[in-house]
Amino acid sequence: MSSKLDLLNSKKAEALMGGGEKRIESQHGKGKLTARERVELLMDEGSFEEIGMLAQHRSGNFGLERQKFLGDGVITGFGKVNGRLVYVFAQDFTVFGGSLAEIHAKKIVRIMDLSLQNGAPLIGLNDSGGARIQEGVVSLGGYADIFFKNTIASGVVPQISAIMGPCAGGAVYSPALTDFIYMVQDSSFMFVTGPNVVKTVTHEEVTSEELGGASTHSEKSGVAHFSVANDLACINDIKKLLQYVPQNCEEESPQYAYEATDEICLDLNSIIPENPNTPYDMKEVINHLVDKDSFYEVQDAYAENIVCGFAFLGGKSIGVVANQPAFLAGVLDNNASNKAGRFVRFCDSFNIPLLVLEDVPGFLPGTDQEWGGIIKNGAKLLYAFCEATVPRITVITRKAY
C-alpha cells in the first residue's frame, strides 16, 4: 500500500510542476504568473479542491504519445473566494502552450457542469494559443462543447473570463460568450487570426498589441470590460466584482451591513451647472449618491458617453446606468446602446436593481450612425429596459430628449 501512496504522491508532485522548471521560468520571464499561482491567489487559502489533476491526453498522432503531461494543460476545481463557493479553470501555458484538446476540454466542461448543478459562479483564467492541432477535429469538438455550456449557463450563473496571455482562434469565443472579460495590459491578446495571417490576407502590417491587445479591446472594440496592469491586479479585481453579484439567478443581489446616517449631501446642489449647455461629470453625481468608494465601473474606456457599473446603496448591490454629459454631451449612439443594453440584461438576469441617471439630448444623428444600425442597436437598449423585471429608479438630472 505504501508503494502505491508513494506513486500517487510522486504523480501529484509531477502534476504541480506543469510543463517543467524551464517553461515556468519562461512564463515568469514574460511577467506572467503560472496557472497554479493564479489559482492560489484567487482562492481562499486551503479551500481549493482540484479535479482531474492526473488526467492525460490519449492521442498518438504526430508524436504526442511521447509528450504527456499530467493535467493536460488545464487546472480545474472548486473552492471559495471571500467565503463563497466558485468553480474555476486555469489554462497552463507551460503545457502545450495551453492549447485545447479532447481531455483538456472535457475537464473544463466538467467544471462548467458542476457550476450549473451547484449554482455557483464560473471563473475562467485563459492563457491559450488555441486548438491543439495535433489532435485535429476532436480539439474543435471540444470548443463546441464549451461554447454550448457557456450558452446554457448564460443568465443562470455569473461567468467571468480573465485573458492572461495570448488567446487566438477558437480560444477567444468562449470568453466572448461569458458575462465579463478582464484583460492584462502588455501580456494578453485576443484575436481570431494573428498578425501574420492578417498580413498574408489583407497585407496590413499590425502588431499583436494593436490588433488585439488590452487597450484595443477596452477602448476600440468593447470586447473587454476591464483592462488591468498585471496578473495580481486582475485576480484582485475579479474578487472585487464577485462582491456585487449573487451566486446564481435564483438569489437576490448581495446585501452587506450598513449603518445609516443623517448626513445630507449638499455637494449635489452644485454639481449640475446653471447653464443647460455646460457639461458636468456624471460620475461625481454617482459617487455622491451611492455608498462611499463603492462604485465599480464597467467598460470605463469604451462608449464613454454612457456610464455603467456596480455600486452599493445602503449596503445593497445595485447596477448604475447613466448618461455622461462630459463626453459627446451624453448622446446615445451605437456603441453606447450596445454597452448599456448588455449591462442592463445582466443585472436583470441576476436580480440586481437598477439606478438610472438621465441627462440625454437623444440619439446621435448622421450617416455613420444610421448605416451602423442605430435603429436596431437603440432598440436593443429599449428592449433591455422594457423586459427588465428588477426594481428600477430613474432620476432625470437635467433633460431626457
Side-chain angles (χ1 to χ4, degrees):
M1 185 64 179
S2 61
S3 61
K4 292 181 179 178
L5 288 174
D6 291 340
L7 177 61
L8 176 62
N9 290 331
S10 68
K11 291 282 187 184
K12 286 183 175 180
E14 182 184 340
L16 291 173
M17 290 304 296
E21 197 66 50
K22 284 188 178 179
R23 289 175 183 171
I24 290 173
E25 288 176 9
S26 174
Q27 184 87 338
H28 288 161
K30 297 171 185 173
K32 296 162 61 180
L33 298 174
T34 65
R36 290 205 174 272
E37 288 167 342
R38 291 164 180 165
V39 171
E40 286 173 10
L41 284 170
L42 175 66
M43 313 301 279
D44 294 350
E45 187 175 354
S47 72
F48 182 62
E49 293 290 340
E50 189 169 351
I51 295 175
M53 185 183 197
L54 306 182
Q56 291 180 314
H57 73 74
R58 54 186 179 183
S59 174
N61 298 329
F62 304 101
L64 277 181
E65 70 277 4
R66 297 188 298 274
Q67 300 181 66
K68 291 202 172 186
F69 296 90
L70 296 173
D72 202 38
V74 64
I75 298 164
T76 55
F78 60 93
K80 292 185 176 180
V81 173
N82 297 327
R84 291 173 52 184
L85 175 67
V86 301
Y87 288 82
V88 63
F89 68 85
Q91 292 175 312
D92 187 351
F93 196 77
T94 69
V95 176
F96 297 121
S99 59
L100 186 137
E102 181 192 17
I103 302 303
H104 184 119
K106 285 182 182 295
K107 288 180 65 177
I108 294 175
V109 167
R110 175 63 176 148
I111 283 299
M112 298 173 88
D113 282 337
L114 290 171
S115 169
L116 273 168
Q117 290 168 16
N118 294 287
L122 174 70
I123 300 171
L125 307 180
N126 298 266
D127 192 354
S128 169
R132 193 178 303 164
I133 57 174
Q134 295 97 322
E135 293 200 24
V137 73
V138 294
S139 293
L140 302 180
Y143 275 125
D145 292 338
I146 292 170
F147 300 160
F148 176 68
K149 293 297 181 182
N150 284 135
T151 61
I152 296 300
S154 181
V156 180
V157 294
Q159 299 180 82
I160 301 169
S161 296
I163 311 301
M164 309 185 85
C167 283
V172 302
Y173 284 112
S174 175
L177 291 169
T178 62
D179 298 310
F180 295 105
I181 296 176
Y182 287 84
M183 288 191 73
V184 179
Q185 295 164 13
D186 301 323
S187 64
S188 70
F189 311 102
M190 291 180 78
F191 31 65
V192 177
T193 53
N196 292 334
V197 177
V198 170
K199 183 179 179 181
T200 301
V201 176
T202 69
H203 308 294
E204 291 177 274
E205 293 275 359
V206 64
T207 66
S208 293
E209 183 65 35
E210 291 169 336
L211 182 63
S215 59
T216 296
H217 285 311
S218 60
E219 297 171 18
K220 296 179 181 178
S221 71
V223 169
H225 298 84
F226 306 96
S227 174
V228 293
N230 51 52
D231 284 10
L232 179 58
C234 184
I235 297 296
N236 288 334
D237 269 26
I238 291 172
K239 291 182 179 183
K240 183 176 181 179
L241 176 61
L242 284 171
Q243 295 176 349
Y244 296 93
V245 299
Q247 288 291 89
N248 55 63
C249 64
E250 299 293 327
E251 292 190 3
E252 295 298 315
S253 67
Q255 172 76 56
Y256 298 94
Y258 177 76
E259 262 189 52
T261 67
D262 295 328
E263 181 184 359
I264 297 174
C265 186
L266 296 175
D267 290 342
L268 284 169
N269 290 332
S270 58
I271 291 175
I272 300 173
E274 289 188 21
N275 185 336
N277 296 318
T278 302
Y280 62 95
D281 189 355
M282 185 64 85
K283 293 179 189 179
E284 285 189 45
V285 178
I286 295 169
N287 286 321
H288 281 87
L289 286 175
V290 302
D291 299 351
K292 188 177 180 181
D293 299 327
S294 71
F295 183 56
Y296 185 44
E297 190 172 357
V298 175
Q299 289 184 299
D300 61 343
Y302 178 73
E304 294 174 71
N305 39 323
I306 200 160
V307 177
C308 300
F310 298 102
F312 295 120
L313 190 62
K316 187 170 182 67
S317 174
I318 64 167
V320 180
V321 179
N323 304 113
Q324 175 56 293
F327 191 89
L328 294 177
V331 72
L332 285 168
D333 59 9
N334 284 302
N335 291 343
S337 297
N338 283 321
K339 169 183 170 180
R342 179 165 180 164
F343 182 76
V344 169
R345 289 195 301 274
F346 175 84
C347 290
D348 185 45
S349 295
F350 292 101
N351 308 311
I352 300 171
L354 288 164
L355 171 62
V356 185
L357 303 176
E358 283 192 19
D359 186 350
V360 60
F363 285 93
L364 181 63
T367 54
D368 281 350
Q369 291 299 306
E370 294 294 352
W371 295 345
I374 188 61
I375 298 171
K376 173 184 67 179
N377 293 317
K380 289 179 182 177
L381 177 58
L382 303 179
Y383 193 103
F385 273 117
C386 289
E387 73 163 351
T389 58
V390 292
R392 288 158 291 171
I393 295 176
T394 300
V395 180
I396 300 172
T397 61
R398 190 160 63 178
K399 63 185 179 298
Y401 296 159

